[in-house]
Amino acid sequence: MAKPSPKPQPENDGTQKLRDEADRRLVLMRMDRLSWRETWREISHFILPTRGRYFAVPNQASRGRVKGPQIVDRTATTALYTLGAFLMAGITSPARDWFRLATSSEDANDDPQVKLWLADTKRRLQRVLATGNFYASMAQLFEELPAFGTGACLILQDYEDVVRFYPLTAGEYYIAQNARGEVDTIFREYVQNVAQLVEKFGYDNCSPTIQGLWDNRQLTQEVPVVHAIMPNASRQRGAFGWKGAPYIGVYYEYGNRTHAALLVESYPRKPFIAPRWSAVSNDAYGHGPAEEALPDTKSLQVAQLRLSEAIDKYARPPTMADSSLQQQMVSLMPGGLTFVPGLNQIGNGGGIRPVYEVNPNITPLQERIQEFRQQIKTTLKNDLILMISQDMDSTQPVTAAEINVRQQEKMLALGPVLERFHNEALDPIISTTLDIMERGGLLLPRPDALKSTSLKVNYVSVFAQAQQSTETTGIEQFVRFIMAQAGVDPSVMDNVDLDRMAERYGELLNIDPTILRSPEAVASMRQQREYAQQQQAASEQAMNLAQGAKNLSQTDVGGGQNALSAIMSGIEQ
């Protein structure tokens, strides 16, 4: 399905006022971000050279040059990429489930129609995320987040993929937060060529400058563009178009005052995410582990240069020669031979020899380099990634239970980061995507039980389960304690609801709810079992009575009677 071209923006609908407000905010947000920009540039220079766009300059010819030739030791770069892959696999792995849908009402969660709707909606949502560019965007976001402390990604409706994600890199965006500490504003500065602009906004919506370039077929000529997304401060509830929307977005050609805007969009929800690794006080931008590793990374580069200099001086020492050899051919190749006239008559200062003998002791420098590398890997959480192999290599015997406990303890270090990412990234992604799908008629109608409650997302990724598994350890210890006490006094088991314990344990381990029987089915099975036990007891009692009667009938009590007939005659009398 081809995307329709936007309609031309009228010049008297408030667009110019909106553009002027965006320009004013852009200048102020640039000033607020200035100190962060310098830190990000250092991180790009020493750790992540392929990331960061700090100058929105059109038609730059240097984008394809080799990035990071100044980095001598890439330990930090490799460790950061490893951390990004680790976060991707542990939080939003495309190979396994990482979320489930539920409601905020326990009664609604038990409704069969609600269960069917939630399961169907989850499958549709997973299909949309898998067929679009969601996972590719998350892979980039998980590298930006620990590197620069902040990540950003736009979430926009798309006519081909339903929803399209546009991950941003450090330096090309500005963010601001509201009084609640939530990031609610994002401005992006970027460049697009004429062909892209006309395709996205339509020929009639473009400025005369872009139209002239298009007419002259200068399709690859780039133009600076600003995309500003912010809450609608002058919102008129019930108004048509962007004037009544809670969020608005305006695209305009930066520096061109003759054309108000390329496009003004309206959004019913915040159409972007800006998660932070950690945030301090009222800061809009976050801090990441790469910022902490920056001093060690700089020191590592210096140490490697010093080591290279020492080795180079040892392998190719500086030499000195008598001035009489200035016009002679001298071989400095290994095994080379140079003839020097009158060498035997020349004293110790004659001939060729090293300026000084170089025999460096590089062991302390190598040890220091190793310390820098280890500290960088620890700062970038690589010790969490290698925890299983480290536990396996332990000289002391390690059981599977001990390994599990150690993993849980180490994974708790990422607990605050995980909770923040759930709140600032995954919750908005899922809610915004579901909203787009529902407005587009891509979901089944909601059951009546869902109309009075809201959806809730439960995360079941590897990291989320690791956070929850600490509770399973407590349950296991409690069960072992209770079983030990039951050997002394069985009545202690009356304090434990085993059904609820099994249900809770399954929730913590992310067991598929369909595996567990419903409470009604369990009650029915127990009733049938109790009835079967009663029938079996009655049958055994009848057999015992029959056997007793047989024994009595075979017992002779005299007078031609057996014990059974004597008892029966006594009853009759």
Side-chain angles (χ1 to χ4, degrees):
M1 179 178 178
K3 180 179 179 179
S5 300
K7 296 180 180 179
Q9 301 289 333
E11 294 297 331
N12 57 352
D13 66 345
T15 302
Q16 185 63 54
K17 182 179 179 181
L18 188 63
R19 156 72 182 270
D20 293 340
E21 175 63 22
D23 264 339
R24 282 191 295 268
R25 294 200 64 178
L26 178 60
V27 173
L28 296 174
M29 294 173 75
R30 277 181 182 163
M31 296 174 61
D32 292 339
R33 199 202 62 178
L34 188 59
S35 60
W36 301 91
R37 176 176 175 269
E38 297 307 314
T39 302
W40 294 348
R41 290 188 66 185
E42 280 200 83
I43 294 173
S44 295
H45 186 77
F46 289 102
I47 299 179
L48 208 59
T50 59
R51 296 296 171 81
R53 298 290 183 270
Y54 305 105
F55 304 99
V57 179
N59 307 300
Q60 255 186 325
S62 60
R63 294 175 189 159
R65 292 180 181 174
V66 176
K67 305 297 190 300
Q70 72 282 352
I71 301 177
V72 182
D73 190 310
R74 293 184 176 267
T75 298
T77 305
T78 303
L80 187 61
Y81 284 140
T82 303
L83 176 58
F86 178 60
L87 295 173
M88 178 72 182
I91 299 178
T92 57
S93 171
R96 54 162 295 156
D97 286 348
W98 52 271
F99 73 93
R100 286 180 180 167
L101 298 179
T103 73
S104 56
S105 170
E106 293 296 334
D107 294 335
N109 289 332
D110 295 332
D111 190 305
Q113 292 184 344
V114 172
K115 287 183 177 180
L116 291 175
W117 187 89
L118 292 174
D120 180 78
T121 300
K122 176 193 170 186
R123 286 193 296 269
R124 294 174 185 241
L125 178 58
Q126 286 177 322
R127 190 183 310 118
V128 168
L129 296 179
T131 55
N133 69 329
F134 168 75
Y135 289 106
S137 301
M138 286 297 103
Q140 179 175 332
L141 185 66
F142 282 127
E143 293 173 359
E144 294 270 336
L145 185 61
F148 305 103
T150 308
C153 183
L154 306 184
I155 312 169
L156 302 179
Q157 184 174 353
D158 188 80
Y159 285 85
E160 295 182 9
D161 297 333
V162 181
V163 61
R164 190 76 179 171
F165 297 86
Y166 297 86
L168 310 182
T169 189
E172 70 172 339
Y173 63 87
Y174 311 85
I175 59 176
Q177 57 186 3
N178 57 23
R180 301 181 69 245
E182 299 172 336
V183 177
D184 64 350
T185 302
I186 188 168
F187 280 48
R188 179 192 182 193
E189 282 188 293
Y190 65 108
V191 294
Q192 280 193 316
N193 61 42
V194 172
Q196 293 172 322
L197 292 172
V198 172
E199 179 184 359
K200 180 174 180 61
F201 304 111
Y203 181 86
D204 294 334
N205 284 323
C206 293
S207 66
T209 302
I210 299 175
Q211 292 177 352
L213 293 171
W214 171 269
D215 294 338
N216 294 327
R217 310 310 295 166
Q218 298 184 35
L219 305 183
T220 59
Q221 183 74 19
E222 292 180 335
V223 177
V225 177
V226 174
H227 182 197
I229 300 176
M230 51 191 169
N232 191 353
S234 58
R235 180 186 181 189
Q236 304 171 11
R237 295 185 179 274
F240 181 76
W242 63 264
K243 293 185 178 181
Y247 281 87
I248 52 177
V250 53
Y251 295 85
Y252 62 91
E253 184 182 345
Y254 182 71
N256 190 338
R257 306 293 301 177
T258 62
H259 192 69
L262 296 166
L263 176 65
V264 178
E265 291 182 325
S266 60
Y267 312 109
R269 288 178 178 267
K270 184 177 71 174
F272 69 89
I273 58 172
R276 281 86 54 90
W277 184 274
S278 67
V280 179
S281 186
N282 197 37
D283 292 341
Y285 302 95
H287 300 271
E291 183 179 340
E292 300 176 8
L294 191 57
D296 288 326
T297 303
K298 292 180 179 180
S299 300
L300 177 61
Q301 308 307 315
V302 175
Q304 284 286 20
L305 288 173
R306 297 294 179 264
L307 178 61
S308 299
E309 290 175 359
I311 294 175
D312 196 38
K313 287 181 178 179
Y314 177 75
R316 301 180 60 188
T319 59
M320 65 179 179
D322 188 270
S323 59
S324 62
L325 297 178
Q326 189 171 4
Q327 304 299 325
Q328 301 291 328
M329 295 295 295
V330 178
S331 175
L332 297 179
M333 298 296 293
L337 177 62
T338 299
F339 294 96
V340 181
L343 182 60
N344 292 334
Q345 288 76 31
I346 300 176
N348 291 334
I352 299 178
R353 67 176 190 177
V355 173
Y356 56 88
E357 296 293 336
V358 180
N359 188 17
N361 180 15
I362 62 175
T363 301
L365 190 54
Q366 290 176 323
E367 292 175 351
R368 187 60 176 148
I369 287 174
Q370 189 59 34
E371 291 175 2
F372 283 135
R373 287 175 171 173
Q374 185 58 44
Q375 183 59 43
I376 290 170
K377 291 179 180 179
T378 301
T379 304
L380 293 175
K381 314 300 180 184
N382 278 210
D383 57 330
L384 298 179
I385 304 170
L386 301 176
M387 59 187 171
I388 295 180
S389 62
Q390 291 172 354
D391 288 334
M392 291 299 186
D393 292 340
S394 176
T395 56
Q396 297 295 329
V398 180
T399 64
E402 290 173 338
I403 292 177
N404 186 41
V405 172
R406 292 183 187 181
Q407 291 178 8
Q408 293 171 8
E409 291 176 349
K410 293 179 179 179
M411 293 296 287
L412 287 176
L414 288 176
V417 177
L418 183 63
E419 291 300 324
R420 181 179 288 276
F421 193 80
H422 285 169
N423 296 331
E424 295 186 347
L426 297 185
D427 285 349
I429 286 175
I430 291 177
S431 60
T432 301
T433 305
L434 285 176
D435 185 65
I436 292 174
M437 293 174 65
E438 193 163 22
R439 286 188 283 108
L442 300 179
L443 300 180
L444 295 176
R446 294 196 179 200
D448 293 337
L450 270 179
K451 295 179 180 178
S452 58
T453 186
S454 58
L455 291 181
K456 182 178 69 173
V457 183
N458 296 325
Y459 296 102
V460 293
S461 64
V462 175
F463 284 3
Q465 289 186 58
Q467 299 294 318
Q468 296 175 345
S469 61
T470 54
E471 188 173 342
T472 65
T473 303
I475 293 176
E476 292 171 0
Q477 292 176 350
F478 176 72
V479 169
R480 286 194 294 268
F481 171 78
I482 289 296
M483 295 302 294
Q485 300 303 313
V488 179
D489 182 6
S491 64
V492 74
M493 295 298 298
D494 297 340
N495 295 284
V496 183
D497 187 345
L498 296 179
D499 288 340
R500 178 54 187 160
M501 181 185 294
E503 181 182 354
R504 179 58 180 163
Y505 200 87
E507 291 174 356
L508 294 172
L509 293 181
N510 188 29
I511 301 301
D512 190 342
T514 59
I515 295 178
L516 300 176
R517 292 188 175 94
S518 65
E520 294 78 9
V522 172
S524 176
M525 288 183 62
R526 289 176 176 172
Q527 184 177 10
Q528 293 176 6
R529 186 185 301 117
E530 183 179 358
Y531 178 76
Q533 291 174 350
Q534 293 175 352
Q535 292 295 318
Q536 183 178 0
S539 176
E540 291 177 354
Q541 185 178 8
M543 291 180 62
N544 291 335
L545 291 173
Q547 185 63 36
K550 180 179 179 182
N551 293 336
L552 291 173
S553 66
Q554 295 176 354
T555 303
D556 188 6
V557 296
Q561 286 187 337
N562 56 41
L564 179 62
S565 61
I567 293 173
M568 294 301 296
S569 62
I571 294 175
E572 292 175 355
Q573 292 177 0

